[in-house]
Amino acid sequence: MPATGDIPILDTHPDCTYEPGPAAGPEAMPQGAPMPAAGDKPILYTHPDCTYSAAKKAELDEAGDPYEEVNLALSPEKWSDLEEVTGGERITPVLIGPAVLEIGYHGVG
């Protein structure tokens, strides 16, 4: 398996990039970006061809953490919402909640 530094490359689909992504709190959200209200389920943006999306979903499911999934292959009109959060990058997975903003999977995605 090819690797970038210590980061293994698990997939080469163009909707799943592999540069280290920022892990930030919700205060880092751009103005106007979609943000769930307190008490709402976090939103998880995924793409079925991205192995990191599957890994994040499995992690949340195993922990019993609720989330609302936005599958970008089924809802391509939601790419613009995702790009507002990521500064124009088409990267998955992205988890957005009242107390969390995670771009990529543990800093990779």
Side-chain angles (χ1 to χ4, degrees):
M1 172 184 328
T4 304
D6 295 328
I7 302 168
I9 296 177
L10 303 176
D11 189 2
T12 57
H13 191 274
D15 291 326
C16 191
T17 62
Y18 302 96
E19 294 299 316
E27 68 280 354
M29 292 285 288
Q31 293 290 50
M35 173 68 87
D40 287 349
K41 291 180 188 177
I43 299 169
L44 178 64
Y45 290 91
T46 65
H47 195 281
D49 293 333
C50 177
T51 56
Y52 293 120
S53 290
K56 185 62 181 177
K57 285 174 52 177
E59 179 182 275
L60 292 169
D61 291 343
E62 186 175 307
D65 294 337
Y67 60 93
E68 177 185 333
E69 181 180 5
V70 175
N71 180 328
L72 294 163
L74 299 177
S75 302
E77 72 280 1
K78 297 292 186 176
W79 275 113
S80 61
D81 292 344
L82 177 86
E83 290 169 342
E84 285 183 45
V85 174
T86 63
E89 296 290 325
R90 286 190 164 211
I91 185 171
T92 56
V94 173
L95 182 66
I96 304 168
V100 65
L101 170 59
E102 184 179 346
I103 298 174
Y105 180 67
H106 298 283
V108 180

